Each structure stands twice: as C-alpha cells, then as structure tokens.
Amino acid sequence: MKRKLISLLRIIRSGGNNFIRNAWLSIAATAVMMVALTIILSAVVLNVTARNAVKELSKKIKVTVYLKDDVSEPRRTIIMSRLKAEQGVDDVAYVDRREAERRFKTNVSDGDKVFIEQALALTGNTTLPESLEVSLTDLSKSGAVVKVAKEDGYKDAVDDVSVGKNDVAKETIERATSAQKYIVRGSIFAAVLFAAVSVLIIFNTIRMAIFTRGEEIRIMKLIGATPNYIRGPFLVESCMYGIIAGILANVSVYTAILSLGPKLQNQAEFAQSYNFFTSTGMMFLLLFASVFLGIIVGIVSSLLAMHKHLKLKHW
Amino acid sequence: MILLDRVSKSYNKKGIALERISLHVEPKEFVIIVGTSGAGKSTLLKLLTREEKPTSGKIIVGGIDYERLKDKDIPYLRRKIGVVFQDFKLLPGKTVFENVAFALEIVGLSNKEIRHTVPKVLDLVGLKGKADNYPGELSGGERQRVAIARAVVRQPKILIADEPTGNLDPKHAWDVIRVLEKINHYGTTVLLTTHNQEIVNKLKRRVITITDGHIVSDKSGGSYK
Ligand SMILES: Nc1ncnc2c1ncn2[C@@H]1O[C@H](COP(=O)(O)OP(=O)(O)O)[C@@H](O)[C@H]1O
Ligand SMILES: [Mg+2]
C-alpha cells in the first residue's frame, strides 16, 4: 500500500518533469487544447443564450383571434381554455371592446386611424371587435394555434384569426433562430477541427517524450519496472494538458460572460441566461466538464502515442 | 537455482542460436560461460531474464517455471535477477547515487529507505566517494561497478553479467571481477560470460564452454580451453 502510494507520487513527479522537459511542445499542446475547449464552451453558452432569447421573444408574438359580436361569456371561456391547452401557448388574454379602443387610440398613428376607420365603415362595423390574444413560448406552434381557432366547431364564435406579421420581434426571432443553427454547426466544425489538432499535437508531444526517455525506458524494463509505472508519467503529462487547458478555457469564457453580461442584463431576453450561467453550481459544473473533456482528449491522444511508440508488449 | 532442460532457441528459420542445452546451477555457484562471439552466450542469459522465449525446452529459475510465467509477471521476475551489460546501460543525466537509487525507486521504496541502502552498496563496490559524480566523470571500470551496484542493490538471488569486462582494460576488468567475487561470497549466484582467458584461468571456477549453440564442456575449477 505504502509502496503503491510512493510509486504513484513518483509517477506524478516524473510526468511533471516530462511536461517541463518539452516545455514548448507542452505549451503548444495546452494552448491548442485550450482553444478547442473554449470553442466548445462558448458554443454551449451561445446556444443556451440564443435559445432562451428566442423563447423570451416568442412571448411577444401573439396570435389574435377576433370574436364575432355577442359571444357569450361561457362560450368564450371554453375557447380560451381550449387554446390554453395547446402546446407552446404561454397565455390567452381577453381583449374587450373598450381595451381595443384604448389601444387603438394610443398605438395607431393618425394616418392609419383614418384608413382603419374607413375600412370599418366599409364592412358595416362602427366599433373594433373583441379578441383573444394568444401569447406563445414557441413561435413554430403559431400555425397549430391558428388551426385550432379556425376549427369548424368554433365557427359560431370566431370571426377571423391573424398572426402578428409586422412585429419586429418576429424578425428578430427568425434571425436568432437561424443564428443559433449556425452557431451550433459552426462550433461543432471548429471544435472537431481544433480537437483533432490538439490530439495530433499531444500525440506528437508524448511521442517526443517517449523518444527522449527511450534509454531510460529500456533500462526500466530490464530492471523490473511494471508497464504501468512506465506508462504512468505520460498519462500524467497529458492529463496536465487537459487540466490546465480546461481551467484556462473556463477562465476565458467566464471573463467574457462577466464583462459582457452586465451590459445585456437589463434586456429580458438575456437576463435569464446570464443568471443561469453565473450561478455557482453552473460555474463549477462547466469547469468540471471542460477539465474532464480535456483529460479525456489528453488520455486518448497519449494512449494512441504509447500504443504506437512504447513497445511494452515485447519484454 | 537454475535449471535448463533441453532448451533450444532459434531467432528465425535460418539458424539455431542454442540447441538442446541442459544445465543445472546450484545456489551460490559462480559460473563462467565462455565461447566465441556468436556462440549463443547472450542468448542463454536473455532466456533467463525473459528478454527472449525459448523455442522449446524447460527453464526453471528459483522455483519459477517459465512456461507458466505470464507477461505481467516478468517485471517481478526481473526484480529477483540482477543484470549487468557490457555497455553499462547507465543514465548519463543521473548521478551515481541516482542511477543506483533508480532500481529501488521503481519498486516503490521510500526516499528514506533509498538513502539508507544506496551508500552501503556503493561501499560494497568501492565507490563510496563517487555518489555525486555523473557516469561521464568515471572510468569504464567505475561505471561498470555502478551498474553492478544497481544490479545488486535489491539483493537478488542471481546476478547475470554479460561480458561486463568486454570494454575494460585488464586492471579495471579485475576490479570488476573482484566485486563479482565479493557478491558471490555474500551468497548470490553469479553467471558471468567473458572472452578473457586470463580471468577464466585465474578464477578457477566452473566453466561452461558453448560453441555454435551447444555446450561442449562443463568443468569445475576449469580453464579456458
Ligand atoms: N535478436 C536476434 N535476432 C536474430 N538473430 C540473433 C539475435 N540475437 C542473436 N542472434 C543470433 O544468435 C546467435 C547467438 O548470438 P549471441 O547469443 O548474441 O552470441 P554471443 O553472445 O555468444 O556472442 C548469433 O548467430 C546471432 O547472430
Ligand atoms: Mg554476447
């Protein structure tokens, strides 16, 4: 037991020496891995942020269900609960005539007022209709909501259905949604590229370390060192790359979040994401995940290098 | 201690390095193996350290039957057998002390145990004052004694020395041989291969002569024929 512990400490020390001996290669390996991990981390952060922003903005998009005159209250309530039960619906609000009038007066420009009043006159109406405003959490569900409202069973009460088309929010959402797609695709590509480069560099670094210690390894075999005692230092070395790169990637991503975040925080669509990522638990989780990922990449590359260049099978 | 029963070894289809070698070595014996270059001396020793596997035949060393030996047991086997080579195989970047300590580090001895053990062994091989020197600062004879110190620091039952004097002038060669005799005197079985006729004749030990992979003579108190 004591022997094993001493051996483990020696392996770790020897791994550290390897790291220092090939300092430039070690730094290069760590730096590239850090870039790869930073890309992956940023992709996760941007993706979650974009998704949250889309969700938040979707609430601003509303499907308006115009009601015929004189729909009874119980009938209206039934339609409201039916719409509420639909997936992706955040809330359903009833807008009566007075509220419609008030909005008309405050929100619509004078030029439009004349146009709308003329239009109303043409259709034989004197007042604005009552309506149900359906707010959504998921924009893609608006079609389904429209379909429900237009069902034959509601024909007695529903006059017309419209989706807010000229809303600025909708355009923003569409942009955010497509940006999110590009973020995911682009970052997968970049992360794979940099991960491959870091595997190559680590592979090469470990290969160099095996060569510089070639004579030592041959002697170790002859005087009875176990294969794990010989392999250990190289694994330790590559784990060090992973740990350092993981920590640095986290530091850089959080530096960005913490410096950009407060500027965006009072915008509702970013506030939630900012709070999500800056919670202590999440910070530790991401740190743990990136260090873990770094260690995995390091171990895989050094195992490949050892498999190829450290002939421990032939004693 | 060492038993070989009709052991043959061929590296490839063309030639046979050793053919049907049978040999028995008692504990604490000092055995010299002689033979021309290419006779098969090193091959014989490599079979004992499991650097090579026999093509056929039985090898039992210190009660261990090599047929039953698994790859993962080989490091532990090698911890019981000390080895010394013609080219010393020391690490140039480590001091004399560190080179010897290396053999103890790999088996997990504490630094305290190492500091306690290494000076004693350096004293045994007559290098007490050289602990902090690097191999490059030593003569060939001294380097070989460092290698011997490394080989015996774990007190193996068997010491194998493959032409340890091959690169040395006669004076230094004798220094090395005296150390081997001393180690044998303390109870370690020694297997030594050499070309040096004078050493063989003066030592008056058991001499095994190998020619073309065959044992052609095996005499105690023998001489170089
Ligand atoms: N690794 C090897 N591969 C192929 N042939 C070898 C190998 N090692 C030794 N031999 C051959 O085996 C024979 C015995 O070699 P060796 O045991 O080294 O002789 P010695 O040590 O007596 O000079 C020689 O013919 C040599 O060429
Ligand atoms: Mg030889």
Side-chain angles (χ1 to χ4, degrees):
Chain A
M1 190 60 219
K2 186 182 150 215
R3 300 263 130 111
K4 287 218 164 123
L5 189 69
I6 291 172
S7 291
L8 184 67
L9 292 175
R10 288 208 173 105
I11 286 171
I12 292 171
R13 170 125 45 91
S14 175
N17 286 340
N18 280 355
F19 187 93
I20 294 163
R21 208 174 327 197
N22 288 315
W24 283 113
L25 269 175
S26 302
I27 291 169
T30 309
V32 174
M33 179 120 89
M34 182 200 143
V35 172
L37 290 174
T38 304
I39 291 171
I40 293 170
L41 267 181
S42 317
V44 170
V45 171
L46 288 175
N47 192 30
V48 170
T49 307
R51 204 176 287 198
N52 280 342
V54 167
K55 213 196 248 170
E56 193 61 37
L57 287 170
S58 295
K59 286 184 189 159
K60 290 187 182 167
I61 293 263
K62 284 169 183 158
V63 175
T64 310
V65 179
Y66 294 102
L67 298 176
K68 288 185 172 155
D69 295 336
D70 305 324
V71 175
S72 69
E73 198 187 327
R75 185 78 186 122
R76 197 176 67 219
T77 315
I78 287 174
I79 298 174
M80 280 176 80
S81 21
R82 171 67 186 90
L83 289 170
K84 251 184 202 166
E86 196 59 19
Q87 249 197 353
V89 170
D90 186 46
D91 196 18
V92 181
Y94 168 56
V95 180
D96 61 15
R97 285 208 172 81
R98 205 174 299 157
E99 172 67 7
E101 194 102 10
R102 195 188 63 73
R103 288 191 193 176
F104 179 72
K105 277 182 184 145
T106 51
N107 293 353
V108 181
S109 70
D110 288 342
D112 285 347
K113 261 182 203 160
V114 176
F115 176 75
I116 292 173
E117 271 161 5
Q118 283 172 347
L120 283 172
L122 274 176
T123 52
N125 282 317
T126 49
T127 52
L128 293 158
E130 295 182 313
S131 63
L132 299 176
E133 272 186 357
V134 185
S135 50
L136 303 168
T137 54
D138 185 351
L139 180 68
S140 64
K141 296 290 190 299
S142 62
V145 172
V146 171
K147 214 170 159 193
V148 168
K150 283 188 170 169
E151 270 172 21
D152 284 345
Y154 302 124
K155 263 194 174 152
D156 60 307
V158 174
D159 187 34
D160 197 9
V161 185
S162 86
V163 182
K165 277 215 176 64
N166 51 358
D167 206 327
V168 203
K170 191 174 179 190
E171 211 178 306
T172 319
I173 287 166
E174 271 160 6
R175 257 190 264 142
T177 311
S178 73
Q180 187 198 343
K181 264 184 216 148
Y182 284 118
I183 289 168
V184 171
R185 261 184 240 157
S187 52
I188 287 175
F189 177 77
V192 166
L193 185 76
F194 276 88
V197 172
S198 54
V199 168
L200 271 176
I201 293 193
I202 294 169
F203 179 91
N204 205 43
T205 315
I206 299 297
R207 192 181 65 132
M208 292 296 290
I210 290 172
F211 288 165
T212 44
R213 292 188 52 202
E215 184 63 13
E216 195 179 338
I217 291 167
R218 269 189 292 283
I219 292 170
M220 283 167 101
K221 280 161 79 168
L222 285 172
I223 63 179
T226 57
N228 285 341
Y229 189 83
I230 297 174
R231 274 188 211 115
F234 300 110
L235 282 177
V236 168
E237 185 184 355
S238 58
C239 284
M240 283 172 71
Y241 302 146
I243 293 168
I244 297 173
I247 292 172
L248 290 181
N250 234 263
V251 167
S252 67
V253 169
Y254 268 102
T255 305
I257 290 178
L258 293 174
S259 62
L260 280 178
K263 287 173 199 159
L264 300 170
Q265 207 186 356
N266 42 17
Q267 278 177 261
E269 58 265 41
F270 296 118
Q272 194 192 348
S273 308
Y274 182 77
N275 293 335
F276 176 70
F277 283 114
T278 49
S279 73
T280 319
M282 198 61 203
M283 280 174 134
F284 274 108
L285 183 68
L286 280 186
L287 178 66
F288 177 80
S290 47
V291 167
F292 181 76
L293 204 63
I295 288 176
I296 294 288
V297 172
I299 285 180
V300 166
S301 348
S302 68
L303 283 180
L304 284 175
M306 283 193 266
H307 181 73
K308 188 123 196 288
H309 298 288
L310 196 60
K311 300 293 182 202
L312 293 183
K313 278 259 177 261
H314 311 283
W315 285 90
Chain B
M1 175 86 349
I2 299 172
L3 180 83
L4 276 75
D5 186 16
R6 286 162 291 172
V7 171
S8 296
K9 170 72 188 178
S10 46
Y11 287 101
N12 43 44
K13 289 181 190 98
K14 273 182 266 161
I16 282 186
L18 289 177
E19 193 171 13
R20 292 172 74 82
I21 297 276
S22 292
L23 179 65
H24 184 226
V25 178
E26 296 286 345
K28 303 182 185 182
E29 252 191 295
F30 192 122
V31 180
I32 306 169
I33 300 165
V34 297
T36 53
S37 181
K41 307 182 293 297
S42 296
T43 300
L44 177 60
L45 299 185
K46 281 178 182 167
L47 290 176
L48 298 178
T49 56
R50 204 56 166 184
E51 282 169 78
E52 296 293 348
K53 280 185 183 179
T55 313
S56 66
K58 198 169 195 60
I59 302 175
I60 298 174
V61 176
I64 300 167
D65 184 348
Y66 280 21
E67 262 169 38
R68 298 220 195 92
L69 206 60
K70 297 197 184 75
D71 275 354
K72 68 172 172 55
D73 302 324
I74 293 173
Y76 303 97
L77 171 78
R78 293 197 183 151
R79 292 175 188 190
K80 294 184 186 129
I81 304 174
V83 277
V84 176
F85 305 92
Q86 185 172 354
D87 59 357
F88 320 130
K89 295 205 195 298
L90 298 176
L91 289 166
K94 287 183 189 282
T95 63
V96 166
F97 182 96
E98 289 164 349
N99 265 287
V100 177
F102 197 48
L104 298 177
E105 283 174 6
I106 63 164
V107 296
L109 256 67
S110 71
N111 289 339
K112 196 177 155 195
E113 291 168 299
I114 290 173
R115 277 196 302 274
H116 176 76
T117 313
V118 174
K120 285 185 180 172
V121 180
L122 287 180
D123 195 18
L124 176 76
V125 300
L127 290 172
K128 213 176 176 180
K130 303 278 187 185
D132 296 327
N133 287 83
Y134 286 89
E137 301 163 352
L138 304 178
S139 73
E142 287 169 330
R143 283 186 218 178
Q144 193 58 289
R145 284 184 279 146
V146 176
I148 293 171
R150 183 181 65 194
V152 299
V153 71
R154 289 189 310 233
Q155 299 177 310
K157 289 276 183 296
I158 300 166
L159 177 64
I160 287 176
D162 193 3
E163 304 202 36
T165 60
N167 286 343
L168 307 178
D169 57 48
K171 184 199 165 294
H172 284 125
W174 273 108
D175 289 343
V176 167
I177 296 299
R178 291 293 167 231
V179 168
L180 292 179
E181 282 200 293
K182 205 163 155 191
I183 287 159
N184 176 244
H185 176 76
Y186 288 133
T188 302
T189 311
V190 175
L191 259 65
L192 165 73
T193 70
T194 182
H195 275 323
N196 191 315
Q197 203 168 330
E198 191 210 334
I199 288 173
V200 178
N201 292 340
K202 278 199 179 157
L203 278 177
K204 304 238 177 314
R205 301 285 190 156
R206 179 179 172 190
V207 177
I208 295 171
T209 309
I210 299 182
T211 306
D212 289 337
H214 297 268
I215 293 181
V216 292
S217 81
D218 184 347
K219 290 183 209 146
S220 47
S223 59
Y224 208 97
K225 61 160 193 166

